[in-house]
């Protein structure tokens, strides 16, 4: 199986986009997302590096420690060059991707000599660059620490951690059968090289080499220039622990090393990164791996007001990419807002506190049966992302359609703006239920997609290009306050939805118009975290 995340797709080219200040002040997205420009006069310069990782050709065969180190140093050499480039641009925090130092597809034993024992920065203070003799077998930690120090920036990297069992921090937890813990781990170094953060991935994605920590870890670190950041890794982004837990604690800046396999139509890397940033009203610093065979590309620096992203296109040279952007400080303490126990949201409810038991389920009477829709005729089921979506075709050039999956209904008002003579088929799909393939999680999704072909059975399949533009309003009444909006245009270009709003009864509305490219997917991706374990 695939490893860390999954998500399939392909094609590549650059989709760098700058929405930012100009856009947000003129668009109504600001109404729901960021009423006003952030109440900060402070900003900082962040960078993420999409890394074309040098892989071990046979990760299932164990290497000696010197050979493993030699391999890792080749990736670290590239990190070093990028840290130097970042420093020249005034970068204050630099993020490298998941698995970027050792690669992937190891077994539990074949990764052994890649592991280093990473001390807990909450228990002790250690600067590996200035105190290299304190622990053996910490060459990678030392090199990263010296990089942060030399280039005078906060540095976040992902590496493999070995911890003795039982864990000092959790003495009663059970041990893996071979008596040691192996974790997929983010490490953070301050600009003088001090180890200031260590986070063990909670939601593994087919990673035989690693263990899930006995308890989910909620890890943050503080910086002098932007306040607090929270740490997550790849598949974590889809789950309550630790991602939403961090958000409910008031953490508004998340760091996201990932090795994400793209999967259209709903979970392309930049599509979901952007959606999370908008839906949770947070900054997300996302660094992905670049690897064509594994369908990995798509990194970015996202705030609720701006996007700088990169998504390679088919045929692009396979190479790394450094993205640098100045972004506003969102930490409520530094931004001078009051922190009411984690809640930074006003009315949309996204960052509202606590209760995972979101809105009451919509009453059946409120749902509109598909047959009553203005222009649609019949519904059909087609599989999208392995889930049986109920779809209805968009048969007119404009109109209204509704589609329900049980009591969960999606409503669309649209005006198609065909371009050229190409005939393209679009459908509105609804799905409410538990996704069970390659991970288990409960969702409610409204998705307007371009079908891959002209047959209904192609609706929900992957297609990366489109010519038709559309003005639309997409709406659903969700049983969760956690709904992530996205508009993906042809060839992986992100668009900022012009309006996005959640009403107190759970009705979420996204409006968009004046697209710059053809519409591939418009989606409201609701996560029903409270139903994940049912
Ligand atoms: C990892 O393993 C999977 C299946 O075992 C294989 O399909 C994939 O190509 C491997 N990836 C690499 C980079 O070796
Ligand atoms: C490091 O390893 C050497 C050689 O095995 C040993 O003598 C030394 O005590 C170790 N140092 C630490 C800090 O563990
Ligand atoms: C998002 O955060 C900004 C402050 O950074 C705040 O002004 C705005 O109201 C928040 N939006 C929502 C929908 O919570
Ligand atoms: C969606 O449809 C499936 C299959 O018809 C059904 O099992 C499921 O309960 C429906 N979801 C909702 C929210 O009603
Ligand atoms: C869309 O474009 C038209 C024509 O260029 C313009 O008049 C209109 O104001 C735009 N609408 C929005 C919502 O930006």
């Amino acid at each position: 199986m695939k490893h860390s995340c999954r998500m399939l797709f392909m094609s590549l080219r650059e989709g760098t986009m700058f929405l930012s200040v100009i856009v947000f002040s003129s668009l109504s997205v600001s109404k729901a997302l960021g009423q006003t420009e952030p109440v900060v006069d402070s900003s900082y310069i962040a960078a993420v590096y999409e890394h074309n990782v040098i892989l071990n050709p046979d990760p299932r065969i164990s290497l000696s420690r010197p050979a493993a180190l030699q391999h890792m140093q080749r990736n670290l050499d590239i990190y070093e060059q990028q840290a130097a480039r970042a420093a020249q641009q005034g970068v204050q925090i630099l993020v490298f991707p998941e698995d970027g130092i050792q690669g992937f597809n190891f077994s539990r034993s074949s990764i052994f000599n890649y592991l280093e024992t990473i001390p807990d920065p909450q228990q002790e203070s250690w600067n590996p660059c200035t105190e290299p003799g304190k622990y053996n077998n910490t060459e990678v930690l030392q090199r990263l620490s010296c990089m942060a120090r030399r280039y005078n920036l906060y540095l976040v990297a992902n590496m493999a951690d070995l911890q003795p069992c039982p864990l000092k921090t959790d003495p009663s937890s059970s041990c893996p059968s071979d008596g040691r813990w192996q974790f997929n781990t983010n490490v953070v170094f301050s600009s003088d090289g001090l180890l200031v953060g260590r986070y063990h991935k909670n939601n593994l994605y087919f990673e035989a080499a690693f263990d899930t920590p006995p308890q989910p870890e909620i890890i943050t670190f503080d910086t002098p220039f932007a306040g607090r950041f929270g740490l997550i890794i790849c598949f974590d982004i889809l789950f309550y622990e630790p991602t939403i837990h961090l958000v409910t604690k008031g953490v508004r800046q998340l760091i996201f090393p990932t090795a994400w396999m793209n999967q259209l139509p709903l979970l392309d890397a930049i599509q979901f990164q952007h959606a999370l940033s908008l839906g949770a009203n947070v900054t997300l610093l996302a660094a992905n791996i670049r690897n064509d065979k594994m369908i990995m590309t798509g990194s970015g620096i996202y705030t609720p007001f701006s996007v700088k992203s990169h998504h390679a296109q088919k045929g692009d040279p396979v190479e790394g990419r450094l993205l640098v952007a100045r972004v506003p400080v969102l930490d409520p303490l530094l931004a001078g807002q009051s922190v009411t126990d984690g809640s930074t949201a006003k009315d949309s409810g996204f960052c509202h506190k606590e209760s995972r038991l979101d809105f009451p389920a919509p009453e059946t009477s409120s749902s509109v049966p598909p047959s009553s829709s203005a222009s649609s005729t019949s519904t059909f089921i087609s599989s999208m992302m392995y889930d049986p979506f109920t779809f209805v075709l968009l048969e007119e050039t404009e109109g209204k359609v509704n589609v329900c999956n049980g009591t969960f209904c999606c409503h669309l008002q649209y005006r198609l703006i065909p371009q050229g003579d190409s005939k393209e088929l679009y459908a509105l799909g609804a799905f409410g239920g538990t996704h069970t393939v390659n991970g288990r999680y409960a969702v409610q999704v409204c998705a307007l997609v371009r079908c891959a072909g002209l047959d209904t059975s192609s609706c929900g399949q992957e297609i990366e290009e489109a010519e038709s533009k559309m003005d639309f309003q997409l709406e659903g009444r969700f049983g969760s306050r956690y709904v992530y909006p996205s508009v993906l245009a042809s060839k992986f270009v992100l668009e900022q939805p012009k309006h996005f709003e959640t009403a107190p009864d759970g009705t979420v509305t996204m409006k968009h118009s004046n697209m710059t490219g053809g519409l591939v997917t418009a989606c409201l991706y609701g996560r029903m975290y409270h139903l994940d374990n049912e």
Side-chain angles (χ1 to χ4, degrees):
M1 277 271 78
K2 321 280 170 75
H3 72 140
S4 329
C5 277
R6 70 109 140 192
M7 322 298 166
L8 274 187
F9 139 141
M10 58 264 272
S11 172
L12 327 82
R13 167 194 116 212
E14 190 190 2
T16 306
M17 166 178 111
F18 240 62
L19 275 158
S20 73
V21 222
I22 309 156
V23 175
F24 93 74
S25 56
S26 64
L27 300 180
S28 48
V29 62
S30 53
K31 285 207 184 92
L33 289 173
Q35 202 60 267
T36 48
E37 220 161 322
V39 205
V40 290
D41 27 288
S42 53
S43 63
Y44 61 101
I45 304 181
V48 299
Y49 182 63
E50 181 162 304
H51 178 45
N52 173 20
V53 58
I54 299 168
L55 294 170
N56 168 339
D58 201 344
R60 315 223 175 231
I61 311 261
S62 296
L63 296 184
S64 64
R65 175 68 179 170
L69 268 179
Q70 198 176 38
H71 169 214
M72 291 191 282
Q73 297 290 8
R74 292 173 65 203
N75 284 306
L76 289 166
D77 289 345
I78 297 170
Y79 281 23
E80 182 94 38
Q81 291 161 10
Q82 298 305 322
R85 288 181 62 208
Q88 281 163 10
Q89 296 172 66
V91 167
Q92 292 160 288
I93 183 164
L94 169 60
V95 181
F96 291 106
E98 182 187 27
D99 300 331
I101 298 173
Q102 84 277 358
F104 20 69
N105 272 6
F106 294 93
S107 70
R108 193 170 171 81
S109 56
S110 72
I111 203 169
F112 187 78
N113 279 318
Y114 284 86
L115 303 169
E116 297 193 354
T117 297
I118 307 170
D120 183 354
Q122 293 175 357
Q123 306 291 319
E124 66 181 281
S125 176
W126 180 40
N127 186 320
C129 190
T130 58
E131 308 161 76
K134 190 168 175 189
Y135 297 107
N136 281 330
N137 273 327
T138 55
E139 291 87 344
V140 172
L141 287 163
Q142 289 169 38
R143 181 130 190 227
L144 292 169
S145 162
C146 290
M147 235 182 256
R149 197 176 156 81
R150 179 169 314 125
Y151 299 108
N152 190 34
L153 40 73
Y154 274 65
L155 187 151
V156 183
N158 176 273
M159 60 187 282
D161 184 18
L162 168 71
Q163 292 293 323
C165 207
L167 286 173
K168 270 192 217 142
T169 48
D170 199 348
S172 62
S173 58
S174 61
C175 283
S177 56
D178 54 9
R180 58 176 193 259
W181 290 106
Q182 298 184 179
F183 297 119
N184 178 334
T185 307
N186 285 345
V187 286
V188 187
F189 299 92
S190 72
S191 51
D192 57 7
L194 195 68
L195 179 66
V196 293
R198 184 192 74 177
Y199 164 70
H200 296 138
K201 185 179 186 180
N202 194 52
N203 299 279
L204 296 174
Y205 192 85
F206 302 101
E207 295 168 82
F210 294 120
D211 298 305
T212 300
Q215 299 296 330
E217 299 178 6
I218 302 303
I219 304 292
T220 61
F221 64 95
D222 292 320
T223 63
F225 51 86
R228 185 155 293 182
F229 288 87
L231 294 167
I232 63 175
I233 302 173
C234 204
F235 205 33
D236 284 339
I237 201 172
L238 286 173
F239 296 90
Y240 190 88
E241 297 289 355
T243 306
I244 301 307
H245 192 153
L246 284 162
V247 172
T248 60
K249 287 184 63 166
V251 178
R252 308 256 341 261
Q253 306 174 128
L254 299 178
I255 294 190
F256 178 58
T258 187
W260 186 278
M261 301 179 74
N262 289 313
Q263 186 164 36
L264 286 173
L266 306 182
L267 290 174
D268 184 74
I270 58 172
Q271 177 188 23
F272 200 75
Q273 290 162 14
H274 189 208
L276 184 97
S277 167
L278 292 177
N281 202 19
V282 297
T283 290
L284 185 74
L285 307 182
N288 200 357
I289 292 286
R290 173 69 196 279
N291 183 294
D292 278 356
K293 190 175 155 208
M294 304 288 283
I295 326 167
M296 290 173 182
T297 180
S299 305
I301 296 169
Y302 307 84
T303 78
F305 328 99
S306 63
V307 177
K308 178 157 196 174
S309 66
H310 165 72
H311 194 298
Q313 303 284 324
K314 212 175 255 157
D316 281 357
V318 180
E319 60 191 12
R321 176 67 65 102
L322 183 71
L323 299 177
V324 177
R326 178 176 283 280
V327 290
V329 173
L330 289 196
D331 183 325
L333 291 173
L334 257 81
Q337 300 158 0
S338 60
V339 194
T340 48
D341 190 35
S343 172
T344 49
K346 282 204 289 254
D347 44 14
S348 93
F350 279 119
C351 304
H352 270 301
K353 265 196 81 163
E354 314 301 73
S355 125
R356 299 168 64 168
L357 300 167
D358 308 288
F359 304 109
E363 286 149 39
T364 315
S365 60
S366 74
S367 63
V368 185
S371 56
S372 77
S373 69
S375 64
S376 61
T377 46
S378 58
T379 62
F380 58 98
I381 307 277
S382 184
S383 176
M384 175 152 71
M385 317 279 299
Y386 306 99
D387 296 320
F389 275 72
T390 307
F391 278 103
V392 60
L393 290 178
L394 275 54
E395 290 176 316
E396 315 289 336
T397 52
E398 60 180 286
K400 291 184 184 177
V401 289
N402 301 305
V403 66
C404 298
N405 174 198
T407 57
F408 175 66
C409 296
C410 303
H411 314 285
L412 176 74
Q413 214 174 319
Y414 69 96
R415 191 165 66 88
L416 250 171
I417 308 151
Q419 314 278 315
D421 342 301
S422 64
K423 182 158 167 44
E424 298 180 331
L425 190 65
Y426 282 85
L428 174 67
F431 174 71
T434 299
H435 174 94
T436 56
V437 177
N438 298 341
R440 188 181 168 84
Y441 41 92
V443 296
Q444 285 182 338
V445 179
C446 290
L448 167 59
V449 296
R450 182 191 166 193
C451 305
L454 293 177
D455 194 274
T456 54
S457 65
S458 73
C459 298
Q461 290 176 19
E462 299 183 19
I463 178 123
E464 66 208 51
E465 295 184 25
E467 290 188 357
S468 309
K469 296 179 179 174
M470 216 183 286
D471 292 348
F472 63 85
Q473 173 174 322
L474 179 60
E475 193 173 282
R477 186 170 166 206
F478 291 78
S480 164
R481 66 183 84 240
Y482 300 104
V483 180
Y484 305 111
S486 62
V487 179
L488 189 65
S490 194
K491 298 181 174 173
F492 305 102
V493 173
L494 289 175
E495 300 221 354
Q496 186 94 333
K498 300 218 160 149
H499 181 84
F500 172 62
E501 185 170 30
T502 303
D505 70 348
T507 300
V508 176
T509 308
M510 174 166 72
K511 285 186 206 167
H512 195 54
S513 56
N514 289 13
M515 298 189 62
T516 59
L519 179 67
V520 170
T521 307
C523 180
L524 295 172
Y525 194 96
R527 272 290 282 114
M528 313 290 283
Y529 300 113
H530 57 291
L531 300 181
D532 279 358
N533 299 317
E534 289 182 7

